Amino acid sequence: DAKTTQPPSMDCAEGRAANLPCNHSTISGNEYVYWYRQIHSQGPQYIIHGLKNNETNEMASLIITEDRKSSTLILPHATLRDTAVYYCIVRVGTDKLIFGTGTRLQVFP
Amino acid sequence: ETGVTQTPRHLVMGMTNKKSLKCEQHLGHNAMYWYKQSAKKPLELMFVYSLEERVENNSVPSRFSPECPNSSHLFLHLHTLQPEDSALYLCASSPTWGSGNTEAFFGQGTRLTVV
């Protein structure tokens, strides 16, 4: 699985957009980019995934650069309940999800 | 609520005890996983089952013994654990195994404390 690099922590004001970056410069052509989040001591929650096109669902948007070496998860209107650790994961073939250390997002009032 | 249910939510056991963790999903998924999350560490994949066959075993000590009697249930049998095995144990399931394009859903975990 390709390695990912994320900033260890970020802050965001409530109601503003939270943009979480992820670098995956060694990604291969058939590897998907997944985002999960984990709110304190709970199981990780699936957010979104994509291959090369941008994706949007009710939770977030995923923007993948044209060369696929990086992506950004966008939470359009962050709330206090969005405070969590966000994981960017890439995988291919097998369905193993290999978690890194993620980005701790703190949303403040 | 993800449709993946783990019991018990909390467990305290002595080092000589034998206990089992249970995971259940009725999502029609064919793949199930055990993860371990120790304090301040990333999640570690322990075991993967696809259609009730073990397809991944990531160098987990034999004091952890998984069992998948059918595609809806997954167990983790524990015996003679050590205090360093105290962690959050998470179960997950996904529709398929092997496509790379399928999201996994996690249970809420079992918080295990070994005393």
Side-chain angles (χ1 to χ4, degrees):
Chain A
D1 293 333
K3 290 184 180 177
T4 61
T5 305
Q6 300 177 252
S9 63
M10 293 182 65
D11 290 337
C12 179
E14 191 176 20
R16 304 296 295 268
N19 298 300
L20 292 93
C22 179
N23 286 323
H24 30 80
S25 57
T26 60
I27 195 169
S28 299
N30 55 351
E31 287 186 318
Y32 287 82
V33 179
Y34 281 76
W35 284 84
Y36 280 77
R37 72 181 183 184
Q38 187 175 24
I39 297 170
H40 182 63
S41 293
Q42 296 182 21
Q45 177 189 21
Y46 167 80
I47 301 173
I48 199 167
H49 76 284
L51 184 61
K52 47 187 173 183
N53 296 323
N54 298 337
E55 303 287 344
T56 296
N57 63 21
E58 64 279 3
M59 287 184 69
S61 295
L62 173 60
I63 309 297
I64 302 174
T65 57
E66 195 168 338
D67 63 7
R68 305 206 330 117
K69 293 183 185 297
S70 66
S71 60
T72 301
L73 179 74
I74 301 172
L75 308 178
H77 305 286
T79 72
L80 298 178
R81 286 179 294 181
D82 291 322
T83 292
V85 178
Y86 287 77
Y87 298 99
C88 168
I89 301 162
V90 296
R91 68 183 192 185
V92 64
T94 67
D95 289 318
K96 289 190 292 186
L97 286 169
I98 306 299
F99 286 79
T101 53
T103 295
R104 182 170 299 277
L105 175 69
Q106 179 69 54
V107 181
F108 57 91
Chain B
E1 179 55 56
T2 62
V4 179
T5 304
Q6 289 187 243
T7 53
R9 293 293 308 276
H10 300 272
L11 178 62
V12 179
M13 61 185 288
M15 289 189 283
T16 58
N17 291 158
K18 289 184 180 181
K19 296 286 184 183
S20 296
L21 310 184
K22 180 182 176 182
C23 177
E24 188 171 356
Q25 58 90 9
H26 295 289
L27 302 168
H29 290 176
N30 289 326
M32 296 187 78
Y33 314 75
W34 280 116
Y35 282 82
K36 174 185 176 183
Q37 188 173 32
S38 303
K40 302 189 188 299
K41 286 187 176 181
L43 280 80
E44 302 170 54
L45 180 63
M46 300 174 74
F47 302 104
V48 182
Y49 278 81
S50 174
L51 297 170
E52 300 147 47
E53 275 196 45
R54 192 188 311 178
V55 295
E56 289 279 336
N57 179 349
N58 285 343
S59 303
V60 179
S62 59
R63 58 186 183 270
F64 295 92
S65 175
E67 179 190 4
C68 188
N70 55 62
S71 59
S72 298
H73 293 87
L74 185 66
F75 294 89
L76 188 63
H77 303 300
L78 316 171
H79 64 98
T80 59
L81 295 193
Q82 305 297 311
E84 58 265 30
D85 296 321
S86 298
L88 182 67
Y89 288 85
L90 290 155
C91 172
S93 71
S94 64
T96 60
W97 168 259
S99 71
N101 181 22
T102 176
E103 58 266 36
F105 297 93
F106 284 79
Q108 292 302 309
T110 295
R111 173 71 61 189
L112 174 68
T113 303
V114 181
V115 296

